[in-house]
Amino acid sequence: MCGIVGYIGCKPAVPVLLEGLKKLEYRGYDSSGIAILEEGGIRITKSVGKLAVLQEKLAKRTFSSTIGIGHTRWATHGRPSDINAHPHMDCHGDFAVVHNGIIENYLELKEWLMAEGHCFRSETDTEVLAHLVEHFYKGDLEEAVRKTLAKVVGSYATVILSYKHPDMLVAARKDSPMIVGIGENEYYIASDIPAVLNHTRNTYILEDEEMVTVTAQSVKFCDFQGKRRDKIIFEVTWDPIAAEKGGYEHFMLKEIFEQPKALKDTLAGRLTADKVILQEVDLTPAEVAAFNKVAIVACGTAYHAGLIGRGLIEHWAKIPVEVDIASEFRYRSPLIDEKTLVIVISQSGETADTLAALRESKKKGARVVAITNVVGSSVAREAHDVIHTWAGPEIAVASTKAYTTQIEAIVLLALYLTQAKQTMSQEWITEIISELKMIPDKAEEVLKQAGRVQELAKYFEHVENAFFIGRGLDWAVAQEGSLKLKEISYIHAEAYAAGELKHGTLALITEGTPVIALATQRDLYDKTLSNVKEVKARDARVIGFTFEGNHGFDKSVDEVFYLPLTANELSPILTVIPLQLLAYYVSAARGNDVDKPRNLAKSVTVE
Ligand code: AGP
């Protein structure tokens, strides 16, 4: 997730662009840049690092240009660097482009353009847009942009600045957001409303697959076939802080609701109808066959995502799996060597314990694959291979969209290993891929139950203890649900393997004790049901989560939530969403600082 801005009007563009980027820094902040028109051509200034680095570079000069574009980056393709920062230009410097999104077919486009003689400077997917516009340009910028977008597969919000058309900006969006701010003889283009609020509250919201052409005096919308579109003005009533949260009260709630898009982006370009493609992982079938063990190592929520991986890799790829908390792993002299595949998972890519486990694993000769949400992070740089989750910046301390996209990345890696070892039939792989592609939409379905979960949260407002129970993958999700509730509502919550209750914990169940019972694993359902009856017999208040169609369950619990049917192994991605919402609503109801809970930090970079 990146931030893009554009401006055309009567004011000097540079201060306007920088201010807009500052307001969008929460969308990405590993590098930034701007492009303006000056006598003789397009002038680009960009740099790796925080926006302040770019501001310092620009402070050394004065600029009179009143048209420009800008970008603050959250890297997906190409590590953070000066050359990979946006804007990007074509071969001759006639067009400059900024882009938020993922171009899935950029490699084939880049190969074709290079065969046509285009010279590329960066490692990014975005740069292909500039060269495509150059390729199709025959005097009409809008037409060149339309032809460019017709070749692109993926998501984008993009603005194009051209030296050949100094009086206009052309922009377009598909799957990534974009708005137009309306000024007096000036127009603003941005990823999101915060970037323009200091100048105007009157905006146009671009619909999907829509283009816009702005001059200082005019704005024109059309579809990708060039057909004009009329739009109504959307007047923004939010204050700037609320606008950064997209109108949500907290970043955590925004990030919970961003999960369908984060899940879709993380799958982008990695699935065909019958195959997983992980360009970032370079393991031959022989290397995969040589692994006699997999060790998954992480902390906190990332560790809980790792627990999901154990079942998948063992059952699909037939490789024994150990899952460790990083702070334990590094001190137990783990038996790992060159026949071990170590998977480290870290949203921030900077967690000290996880980084230490990665280094320990490499020292012992293991192959290390990282799953991380931050391109260029320490974990990403030091692992042999990296699978990036494309969830965008996660601001809330309580991890949500990172967790569900980490599970997706683990599923992709497990399928990649399974393909290499041919331990499952092609028919089965095709079926699970088909299910995986439907997960983002099913996540959207689950989010529609947010109102019911908010009602349920009222019961938890004054409780002091809560239990989460489940079997198999439900037990793994129960541990994540319990952590979510603990870390932001401060209720003492514990997760237990449902079959373990009778070995002691059942003694804690008294009348009204809230028990969240997860029963989505159809092969374990009957066993879980008997455990639910155990706690119900002690007058617990049981809230059950099960799969659609399982209507007998509601007779055994006090309240039931049904989740869309999917493969057992994929259900954790859906089951966790109401648990995230429950934790959020309870924390908010208790008046806690939801985004910044006491005693905790977003990235624990110390031991
Ligand atoms: C998750 O809600 C917590 N904030 C915490 O457990 C977190 O998952 C853990 O610190 C690991 O962080 P990482 O994924 O950045 O390594």
Side-chain angles (χ1 to χ4, degrees):
M1 181 161 73
C2 306
I4 64 174
V5 292
Y7 174 75
I8 185 165
C10 42
K11 297 197 228 12
V14 171
V16 173
L17 297 173
L18 286 174
E19 180 199 8
L21 291 179
K22 186 69 189 157
K23 295 294 183 191
L24 295 179
E25 245 191 330
Y26 66 90
R27 296 182 62 85
Y29 39 74
D30 60 46
S31 51
S32 59
I34 66 165
I36 55 173
L37 284 189
E38 287 190 330
E39 285 303 311
I42 295 176
R43 179 185 185 84
I44 286 188
T45 310
K46 56 186 184 176
S47 68
V48 69
K50 296 277 187 196
L51 187 61
V53 179
L54 177 67
Q55 286 170 315
E56 200 177 315
K57 272 190 179 179
L58 290 164
K60 295 170 184 150
R61 279 201 51 201
T62 54
F63 303 92
S64 57
S65 175
T66 61
I67 177 173
I69 58 178
H71 185 270
T72 181
R73 188 169 183 238
W74 182 267
T76 53
H77 293 76
R79 58 188 164 63
S81 67
D82 284 357
I83 197 65
N84 285 336
H86 300 207
H88 292 286
M89 283 209 283
D90 65 302
C91 301
H92 304 296
D94 293 330
F95 308 97
V97 174
V98 291
H99 163 238
N100 170 35
I102 294 167
I103 297 176
E104 297 175 29
N105 61 336
Y106 85 98
L107 283 176
E108 70 185 76
L109 290 171
K110 188 168 182 175
E111 283 163 20
W112 167 60
L113 287 161
M114 289 171 77
E116 295 277 311
H118 290 259
C119 301
F120 282 78
R121 303 178 187 84
S122 79
E123 303 162 325
T124 67
D125 55 338
T126 300
E127 193 181 346
V128 297
L129 293 176
H131 293 281
L132 282 171
V133 172
E134 176 188 14
H135 175 83
F136 288 115
Y137 183 77
K138 302 282 184 285
D140 181 332
L141 182 57
E142 293 167 285
E143 184 190 45
V145 172
R146 268 197 296 278
K147 289 183 175 176
T148 291
L149 301 180
K151 297 285 282 186
V152 169
V153 175
S155 59
Y156 45 82
T158 184
V159 192
I160 293 93
L161 169 74
S162 170
Y163 183 64
K164 295 175 179 286
H165 297 267
D167 59 349
M168 72 165 64
L169 291 174
V170 178
R173 68 148 291 192
K174 179 176 176 296
D175 290 341
S176 294
M178 183 182 283
I179 60 114
V180 173
I182 307 162
E184 289 292 324
N185 295 321
E186 58 184 4
Y187 283 94
Y188 305 80
I189 296 174
S191 299
D192 220 342
I193 285 168
V196 306
L197 269 188
N198 281 355
H199 304 283
T200 179
R201 287 185 174 274
N202 292 324
T203 62
Y204 293 112
I205 311 289
L206 265 79
E207 302 297 326
D208 227 19
E209 301 201 9
E210 213 161 49
M211 272 178 66
V212 60
T213 302
V214 290
T215 70
Q217 289 76 31
S218 68
V219 58
K220 178 180 76 175
F221 294 93
C222 59
D223 63 18
F224 283 3
Q225 286 69 47
K227 187 165 176 292
R228 291 292 296 263
R229 281 191 174 171
D230 294 325
K231 295 185 79 66
I232 57 170
I233 292 175
F234 170 70
E235 187 185 357
V236 181
T237 56
W238 300 329
D239 65 58
I241 299 296
E244 270 191 31
K245 295 168 189 165
Y248 291 99
E249 193 175 347
H250 298 98
F251 277 113
M252 183 181 177
L253 192 59
K254 177 170 178 272
E255 289 155 8
I256 289 172
F257 278 85
E258 280 175 342
Q259 289 181 112
K261 181 161 184 342
L263 289 163
K264 188 176 179 188
D265 286 352
T266 299
L267 294 178
R270 292 168 160 165
L271 290 174
T272 65
D274 55 8
K275 193 171 180 342
V276 167
I277 302 161
L278 289 178
Q279 288 161 1
E280 317 99 305
V281 179
D282 183 21
L283 284 169
T284 64
E287 287 171 321
V288 174
F291 292 134
N292 62 12
K293 179 164 69 172
V294 169
I296 302 176
V297 190
C299 300
T301 287
Y303 165 73
H304 295 149
L307 292 173
I308 306 295
R310 171 166 52 196
L312 275 53
I313 294 171
E314 288 191 339
H315 299 157
W316 297 352
K318 312 291 186 246
I319 308 173
V321 180
E322 295 169 359
V323 188
D324 273 270
I325 291 170
S327 55
E328 291 296 310
F329 176 82
R330 52 189 297 215
Y331 295 114
R332 69 173 179 81
S333 305
L335 295 177
I336 57 173
D337 57 23
E338 68 286 345
K339 292 184 178 174
T340 310
L341 172 63
V342 174
I343 303 170
V344 296
I345 308 171
S346 176
Q347 186 286 130
S348 63
E350 300 300 342
T351 298
D353 289 322
T354 307
L355 199 49
L358 182 158
R359 291 166 178 164
E360 175 81 4
S361 302
K362 286 176 72 174
K363 211 187 297 178
K364 289 176 175 280
R367 180 69 175 254
V368 179
V369 175
I371 294 174
T372 184
N373 195 39
V374 182
V375 176
S377 61
S378 302
V379 160
R381 285 198 312 275
E382 297 187 29
H384 296 112
D385 311 86
V386 188
I387 302 173
H388 288 107
T389 50
W390 289 330
E394 189 175 65
I395 310 295
V397 165
S399 186
T400 51
K401 60 180 182 175
Y403 172 77
T404 48
T405 53
Q406 284 162 359
I407 293 177
E408 262 189 342
I410 289 167
V411 169
L412 291 168
L413 181 54
L415 287 171
Y416 179 92
L417 298 172
T418 303
Q419 284 172 178
K421 292 190 69 180
Q422 297 182 338
T423 41
M424 301 295 278
S425 72
Q426 182 56 58
E427 184 190 1
W428 179 90
I429 290 173
T430 303
E431 173 56 30
I432 200 81
I433 286 175
S434 161
E435 280 291 336
L436 185 54
K437 286 181 173 178
M438 293 188 278
I439 283 294
D441 288 343
K442 289 184 177 179
E444 199 71 67
E445 281 306 303
V446 176
L447 285 166
K448 291 175 182 167
Q449 301 193 51
R452 273 195 68 204
V453 178
Q454 190 170 15
E455 272 307 302
L456 170 67
K458 291 176 182 169
Y459 181 80
F460 285 78
E461 207 174 319
H462 304 294
V463 303
E464 289 311 312
N465 301 290
F467 290 86
F468 291 73
I469 64 173
R471 287 176 177 257
L473 293 179
D474 279 334
W475 180 33
V477 177
Q479 293 174 68
E480 174 55 15
S482 155
L483 173 62
K484 287 279 102 39
L485 189 62
K486 264 184 281 208
E487 68 176 325
I488 61 173
S489 76
Y490 313 146
I491 290 172
H492 181 212
E494 284 311 318
Y496 278 88
E500 188 60 9
L501 285 163
K502 55 186 173 297
H503 298 289
T505 320
L506 205 53
L508 292 176
I509 304 295
T510 57
E511 185 180 351
T513 302
V515 176
I516 301 280
L518 306 184
T520 70
Q521 301 298 295
R522 273 156 287 176
D523 55 334
L524 297 169
Y525 173 70
D526 291 340
K527 292 292 182 192
T528 306
L529 183 59
S530 64
N531 300 133
V532 167
K533 288 175 176 171
E534 279 172 7
V535 294
K536 199 67 202 116
R538 276 80 182 175
D539 299 324
R541 177 178 168 79
V542 184
I543 301 97
F545 291 81
T546 191
F547 45 90
E548 274 167 3
N550 181 24
H551 293 302
F553 194 44
D554 60 340
K555 295 179 179 52
S556 307
V557 297
D558 296 284
E559 196 160 358
V560 62
F561 288 79
Y562 294 104
L563 299 165
L565 269 175
T566 185
N568 266 351
E569 298 90 341
L570 303 181
S571 66
I573 298 172
L574 305 178
T575 310
V576 76
I577 294 173
L579 307 187
Q580 296 167 341
L581 287 166
L582 177 65
Y584 170 78
Y585 287 123
V586 174
S587 176
R590 290 165 77 116
N592 295 350
D593 184 346
V594 177
D595 285 334
K596 298 189 181 72
R598 67 190 182 202
N599 311 337
L600 301 179
K602 182 59 186 170
S603 176
V604 184
T605 56
V606 294
E607 280 197 36

